[in-house]
Amino acid sequence: MRTVLAVDGGNSKTDVALVAEDGTVLATGRGGGFLPQSAGVSAAADVVEEAVRQALGPLARAIGTTPAAPYGDLLSAYLAGADLPREEEALREEFAARGFASDVVVGNDTFALLRAGASGPWGVAVVCGAGVNAVGVSPSGQVARFPALGKVSGDWGGGLGLAEEALWHAVRAEDGRGAPTALAALVTEHFGTATVEEVSLALHFGELDQSSLHGLTPRLFEVAAAGDPIARSLVERMAEEIVLLAEVCLRRLELLETPTEVVLGGGVLRARDPLLSELLDERFTARTPQAKLVVADLPPIAGAALNGLDRIGADEEAKARLRGHFGDPL
């Protein structure tokens, strides 16, 4: 029976799963963050290698010593930091050289989100986690995607982006350059400072890490729900960006008039904030009425494994078995 070695490489963790062709999950493991853009391709592959060894325990061989006896027939790896085709190819070559599997497929992690939430291998996915990204796949296999490099490639929002916007407005409200907003009190309460300026200076001098801003995002939604106009405007813009990403994918793939699943994922969207959800429902209904919104409940590693099962031609019973393992009630 053929096997798929599935990998979900995220910024904070790397999940792996060895899956049989019939959908049985044979082993799972977890490693550290997958960071090819900062740590390098080789170091990122080391993280995957360690996670595989952790999953397989004494069965694990030394990767690269006997490429003819790989861990699986297919490595199905969907990874953060694989934002461009050339980055995907560099990672594919690294995994192939190490002998991870007989066949190696590498893609951006948003493709795993799509497969985890959609009922089949095509549709559109929008992720709103630390940042934002979207991909689309047509029934014929045509792909729509974005570079997703941050502001330099036209992106706006995500959890960190929203937090940075909240801080920006809070600073200006405090020093008089901007309109009053409850976001100023939110920032000082969250960090336990007397002023917002103290937070800005702490970030500047490295006393606070930029990632510490993430905690502002859930409370930003609370302030918006309470009626603060600036906070609400940020949530409205986030909704607009999410809908726009999906709409552009649907247009590029000529699917605007075709009933299509739009999978929503990432921490901001999985939280199902009532205000954001209401805004999304309104905008999708008005602009892409054929879109069927789905919030992905299965973890991305399930999507990576399903993509692998698709590639080796596994049957629907196998895919249902895999979904069941990861908690899909269907």
Side-chain angles (χ1 to χ4, degrees):
M1 185 176 291
R2 292 174 294 175
T3 56
V4 172
L5 178 59
V7 179
D8 166 47
N11 290 321
S12 61
K13 61 178 177 58
T14 298
D15 286 328
V16 300
L18 185 65
V19 179
E21 187 176 4
D22 69 353
T24 300
V25 176
L26 304 173
T28 60
R30 174 167 289 183
F34 187 85
L35 302 166
Q37 292 168 331
S38 58
V41 168
S42 180
D46 287 342
V47 171
V48 176
E49 183 174 338
E50 181 58 34
V52 172
R53 289 202 179 101
Q54 186 267 327
L56 299 185
L59 298 178
R61 66 170 178 79
I63 295 178
T65 57
T66 56
Y71 280 121
D73 295 282
L74 170 67
L75 174 68
S76 180
Y78 290 84
L79 311 165
D83 297 311
L84 302 170
R86 62 187 290 183
E87 293 171 330
E88 292 173 339
E89 181 58 22
L91 288 161
R92 190 200 68 77
E93 290 176 356
E94 179 73 19
F95 289 132
R98 294 189 183 211
F100 271 87
S102 304
D103 187 18
V104 176
V105 175
V106 171
N108 181 265
D109 54 352
T110 312
F111 288 100
L113 167 65
L114 171 59
R115 193 62 182 91
S119 58
W122 67 278
V124 169
V126 181
V127 61
C128 187
V132 292
N133 196 9
V135 298
V137 179
S138 73
S140 65
Q142 182 184 356
V143 171
R145 63 189 300 178
F146 301 89
L149 304 176
K151 286 190 176 181
V152 296
S153 62
D155 305 333
W156 187 91
L160 182 57
L162 286 169
E164 290 173 340
E165 291 287 330
L167 177 61
W168 187 87
H169 283 286
V171 169
R172 294 171 69 88
E174 181 177 85
D175 67 19
R177 287 178 291 173
T181 172
L183 293 173
L186 164 62
V187 170
T188 56
E189 290 170 9
H190 180 75
F191 288 102
T193 59
T195 66
V196 179
E197 182 178 326
E198 289 179 49
V199 177
S200 299
L201 294 176
L203 289 166
H204 173 72
F205 288 114
E207 297 163 2
L208 282 177
D209 189 85
Q210 198 76 6
S211 63
S212 66
L213 293 176
H214 277 290
L216 294 175
T217 305
R219 299 188 65 190
L220 163 66
F221 285 97
E222 295 174 6
V223 173
D228 183 84
I230 290 180
R232 184 181 176 95
S233 73
L234 294 176
V235 177
E236 289 175 345
R237 183 173 178 186
M238 190 71 264
E240 176 63 22
E241 289 290 324
I242 292 166
V243 175
L244 187 59
L245 284 164
E247 184 181 13
V248 170
C249 286
L250 291 167
R251 183 183 304 114
R252 286 182 184 174
L253 299 175
E254 300 182 342
L255 293 174
L256 280 171
E257 305 304 323
T258 302
T260 303
E261 291 170 317
V262 175
V263 179
L264 305 178
V268 172
L269 289 169
R270 286 199 310 271
R272 291 177 168 87
D273 174 75
L275 174 58
L276 180 60
S277 297
E278 178 184 347
L279 293 169
L280 290 175
D281 287 341
E282 291 174 355
R283 284 165 166 74
F284 272 108
T285 299
R287 289 160 49 181
T288 60
Q290 295 297 323
K292 177 187 176 183
L293 300 187
V294 180
V295 178
D297 289 321
L298 288 183
I301 185 62
L306 285 166
N307 276 330
L309 291 179
D310 288 339
R311 188 174 178 89
I312 67 173
D315 59 27
E316 293 305 313
E317 183 179 351
K319 296 169 192 176
R321 181 175 292 112
L322 178 85
R323 286 182 174 276
H325 175 89
F326 287 104
D328 191 326
L330 299 179

